């Protein structure tokens, strides 16, 4: 009688046919570039909707939104300001920039800051292949989930540049909105605008980018900005809360 192959032999054969995965698969899991959070829904899940691109929120409330790209966490006074003024700030993080400061980011998160996705390595995404864009976005989703237990739902493309592949990749990685800005705070604390009126309006998203040689610290720039916001009868709102209401049928929660 011919002996049937053992379970161990069958498993070994299947591993050989599949290429074993091995060390390459382990590296992908550890780095996060091969992670695709959307795939957890299964192969029969419907394709994700393309996320909207927003630079302001439609609201009648007298609110604007403060968003920071990598750098604010390096200012030791910034977390104190966020805590003291109860500022619902949103931080868009790049792993290669913010990674060494993840301990400080934990403190910021503890005082109410929202941590969102700004890619692993901060490349200009427009024109890159879809696979490379997804690796950058999904990889940072994985990093933030592993380090903080958060699942970011907002994504900001580096330099504000993107294409349809970016939107597809962002959707596949679990992003519900791609966040740009209508106003940007310069290194010397002055506001510039991408379009429309040259003044703050309700619903504006403000970007505070990092500047390597900024004359003012992020805390000093923010204090100056708060004076202008309050002088116009506005206050700072939580971006994630407002986007959740603006995007029916989409989940735009932060942490």
């Amino acid at each position: 009688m011919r002996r049937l192959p053992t379970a161990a032999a069958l498993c070994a054969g299947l591993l050989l046919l599949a290429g074993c995965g091995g060390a390459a698969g382990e590296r992908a899991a550890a780095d996060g570039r091969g992670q695709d959070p959307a795939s957890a829904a299964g192969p029969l899940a419907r394709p994700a909707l393309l996320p909207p691109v927003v630079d302001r929120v439609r609201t009648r409330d007298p609110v604007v939104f403060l968003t920071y790209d990598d750098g604010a966490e390096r200012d030791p006074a910034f977390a104190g300001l966020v805590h003291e003024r109860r500022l619902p700030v949103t931080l868009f993080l790049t792993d290669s920039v913010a990674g060494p400061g993840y301990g400080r980011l934990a403190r910021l998160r503890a005082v109410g800051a929202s941590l969102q996705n700004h890619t692993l390595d901060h490349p200009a995404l427009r024109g890159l292949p879809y696979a490379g864009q997804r690796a950058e976005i999904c990889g940072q989703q994985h990093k933030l989930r592993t380090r903080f237990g958060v699942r970011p739902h907002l994504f900001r493309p580096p330099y504000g540049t993107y294409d349809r592949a970016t939107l597809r990749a962002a959707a596949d990685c679990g992003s519900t909105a791609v966040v740009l800005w209508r106003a940007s705070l310069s290194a010397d604390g002055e506001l510039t605008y991408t379009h429309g009126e040259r003044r703050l309006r309700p619903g504006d998203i403000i970007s505070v980018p990092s500047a390597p040689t900024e004359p003012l610290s992020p805390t000093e720039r923010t204090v100056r900005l708060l004076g202008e916001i309050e002088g116009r009868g506005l206050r700072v709102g939580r971006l994630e809360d407002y986007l959740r209401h603006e995007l029916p049928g989409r989940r735009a929660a932060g942490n």
Side-chain angles (χ1 to χ4, degrees):
M1 178 182 296
R2 188 174 63 180
R3 303 178 70 180
L4 294 175
T6 64
L10 285 172
C11 289
L14 289 173
L15 283 173
L16 286 172
L17 288 173
C20 299
E26 292 171 3
R27 284 195 300 271
D31 181 77
R33 294 175 190 268
Q35 299 294 317
D36 188 348
S39 66
L44 298 180
R46 295 179 180 178
L49 294 173
L50 292 183
V53 180
V54 297
D55 62 9
R56 62 187 314 273
V57 175
R58 292 172 296 179
T59 180
R60 295 181 179 179
D61 294 347
V63 296
V64 292
F65 307 99
L66 289 184
T67 67
Y68 293 77
D69 296 352
D70 311 295
E73 75 283 349
R74 294 194 291 270
D75 181 356
F78 185 67
L81 175 67
V82 171
H83 177 65
E84 177 186 345
R85 302 290 293 267
R86 298 189 178 187
L87 295 176
V89 299
T90 302
L91 308 182
F92 288 96
L93 304 175
T94 297
D95 180 69
S96 61
V97 178
Y102 273 145
R104 294 186 292 272
L105 289 167
R107 184 186 174 206
L108 276 165
R109 185 180 177 230
V111 297
S114 173
L115 309 184
Q116 301 294 338
N117 193 331
H118 199 40
T119 70
L120 280 174
D121 300 314
H122 208 272
L125 294 176
R126 185 170 60 197
L128 295 180
Y130 165 78
Q133 296 200 40
R134 189 178 71 173
E136 282 285 340
I137 301 170
C138 286
Q140 181 65 338
Q141 293 284 97
H142 175 74
K143 289 276 190 178
L144 292 172
R145 186 171 67 251
T146 299
R147 291 179 182 270
F148 299 106
V150 303
R151 296 181 65 89
H153 292 283
L154 304 181
F155 172 66
R156 171 167 287 169
Y159 314 106
T161 63
Y162 65 95
D163 55 20
R164 185 175 178 81
T166 312
L167 302 183
R168 284 180 53 215
D172 289 344
C173 295
S175 301
T176 57
V178 172
V179 179
L180 304 183
W181 57 90
R182 196 185 84 84
S184 180
L185 191 66
S186 67
D188 58 6
E190 297 298 322
L191 281 171
T192 59
Y193 298 87
T194 59
H195 62 86
E197 298 178 69
R198 296 303 189 243
R199 64 181 181 87
L200 289 176
R201 302 180 301 180
D204 281 347
I205 297 172
I206 304 170
S207 169
V208 184
S210 60
T213 58
E214 56 192 19
L216 300 175
S217 70
T219 299
E220 292 169 328
R221 294 161 72 198
T222 300
V223 168
R224 180 178 294 189
L225 175 59
L226 289 173
E228 182 163 350
I229 290 171
E230 293 162 0
R232 293 195 172 277
L234 302 168
R235 56 184 172 82
V236 180
R238 182 172 292 279
L239 179 61
E240 294 74 24
D241 291 346
Y242 277 82
L243 283 180
R244 184 186 299 118
H245 294 296
E246 181 168 302
L247 307 175
R250 297 175 184 265
R251 184 174 58 178
N255 299 330

